[in-house]
Amino acid sequence: LVACGLTHKAIRSRSRRGQLHRLHVGVWAVGHPEVPFEGRMLAAVKACGSTAVLSHRSAACLWGFLDLEERDPEVTVLGRGTRVRPAIVVHRTLARVPRDVTRFRAVPVTTPARTLLDLAAVIDGSSLRHAVRRAEGMRLVNVRQLAETCQRLGPRRGSRKLGLILATGSAPTRSVLESVVLDLILSSGLAHPEVNVALSLGGRRLVPDFRWPAQDLVVEADGAAWHDQK
């Protein structure tokens, strides 16, 4: 704001009139404080300095392979500093490779593969498996990219958990419900089905949730929105 030509007095005046709303120290919303999710995440990144990127659960929510939830934004910054930012969870790293950082919806954020590796350190195995499958189903990441990221960054908290998921064969589901149903199928001892593999039927392209071609069997995992109509 100062760089734009506003004095500190002008900033205070606009704040009192409801034209500026402070989200974090040094970060303001213009017009109203009810900014969308992407705006709140960008504000948290800006509040943590030039080396900051959105990461962990917040990055997973931005990419769409975790559902949105009300929690403080998680940001990773470069360096050993211990400065605390109110209402922001700050993670720190001593080394960050440029290929692990990108922008999505204008927000500096860890790549999907790096996000899943970071996520492995802060959520349980079942939730992580659902997130991996969902990210694959959205075509944001594949097994090769995840394996390369794990190998390149070496052993760290959560890497073994993610490695076990990759070793047992993840599958690209498109929702938590599909992932839960797949777990039920596999835990029952049934053969691993094709998951979200397109097929042509009568000139139409269909993408069944689960399919066993040899048995001509398809299983759909649909919620109440599809079946609860009166």
Side-chain angles (χ1 to χ4, degrees), residues 26-38:
V27 183
W28 300 74
V30 179
H32 61 84
E34 300 302 322
V35 297
F37 174 77
E38 291 85 350

Side-chain angles (χ1 to χ4, degrees), residues 17-123:
R17 294 201 301 267
Q19 295 172 303
L20 292 174
H21 304 268
R22 196 175 83 166
L23 302 180
H24 300 284
V25 175
V27 183
W28 300 74
V30 179
H32 61 84
E34 300 302 322
V35 297
F37 174 77
E38 291 85 350
R40 289 187 282 116
M41 298 303 102
L42 181 59
V45 170
K46 287 184 176 294
C48 293
S50 60
T51 69
V53 295
L54 199 68
S55 63
H56 295 75
R57 297 177 186 87
S58 298
C61 290
L62 182 69
W63 285 114
F65 47 80
L66 272 190
D67 293 331
L68 295 181
E69 51 186 34
E70 290 299 322
R71 62 168 59 244
D72 291 340
E74 292 185 80
V75 171
T76 293
V77 299
L78 200 59
R80 295 180 180 274
T82 58
R83 188 173 183 180
V84 175
R85 294 287 184 179
I88 302 174
V89 178
V90 179
H91 302 272
R92 302 190 180 275
T93 182
L94 298 180
R96 188 169 62 218
V97 181
R99 74 173 75 174
D100 291 329
V101 175
T102 187
R103 278 182 178 268
F104 184 59
R105 296 178 180 169
V107 182
V109 60
T110 49
T111 61
R114 176 60 188 266
T115 298
L116 286 166
L117 180 57
D118 291 338
L119 200 60
V122 295
I123 65 175

